[in-house]
Amino acid sequence: MNAQEIIRSIEAEQIKTDLPDIYVGDTIRVGVKIKEGEKFRIQPYEGVVIARRHGGINQTITVRKVFQGVGVERVFLIHSPRIDSIKVIRRGKVRRAKLFYLRDRVGKATRIKQRFDRPL
C-alpha cells in the first residue's frame, strides 16, 4: 500500500455518514460540543449556510447568524468530532454558490425565500 491509500483508509474511518444534505442558503442548527472542565455539553448554533468549501473529510461550511444586532460567522469542519449533530431547519432558494452579499445587508433584506422541492 502506498501513502495515498493509507491516508484514504484513515479518512474513511473518520468520515460521518449520518449527515443530512446541506446546501447553501439552508438554515441549519449545528450542535457543537463544548468542554467545560471535565464535562461536555451541546451548544446549538443556528444560522444560514453562506458557503461550502473543499470535499471529503476536509469539507467545511460557513454559518452566519445575527446575534444582538451583530453578524456572527463560524466555519465548521462537518466531519469533526466536535460536531455532535446537524439538523436542517428550512431550505433556502438561492441562485449562487456563495452568499457573501448577506454581510452587507441588514434586517429584512437578509431574508431568503424558502424552497419546498427538497425534503428536510
Side-chain angles (χ1 to χ4, degrees), residues 82-115:
R82 294 247 170 171
I83 303 297
D84 182 61
S85 63
I86 297 178
K87 181 160 181 8
V88 177
I89 307 300
R90 64 191 294 252
R91 297 279 184 203
K93 186 176 183 182
V94 294
R95 293 171 62 172
R96 52 182 64 216
K98 304 280 193 274
L99 304 182
F100 297 138
Y101 67 89
L102 291 178
R103 294 171 176 167
D104 302 327
R105 299 194 176 188
V106 179
K108 288 186 177 180
T110 62
R111 289 179 299 185
I112 295 175
K113 285 185 179 178
Q114 189 169 357
R115 73 183 297 162

Side-chain angles (χ1 to χ4, degrees), residues 28-56:
I28 63 171
R29 184 177 295 131
V30 182
V32 186
K33 291 181 186 172
I34 306 289
K35 185 176 184 183
E36 292 179 344
E38 296 300 314
K39 296 181 182 176
F40 279 97
R41 68 181 176 86
I42 308 298
Q43 178 176 334
Y45 187 91
E46 186 172 330
V48 177
V49 178
I50 63 168
R52 288 177 61 190
R53 291 188 70 193
H54 310 300

Side-chain angles (χ1 to χ4, degrees), residues 21 88 91 116-120:
D21 290 334
V88 177
R91 297 279 184 203
F116 299 100
D117 58 342
R118 290 184 182 147
L120 288 177

Side-chain angles (χ1 to χ4, degrees), residues 62-80:
T62 304
V63 182
R64 178 179 175 83
K65 75 174 181 179
V66 176
F67 182 71
Q68 295 182 351
V70 179
V72 180
E73 291 181 11
R74 280 184 75 175
V75 178
F76 294 106
L77 190 64
I78 65 172
H79 295 289
S80 167

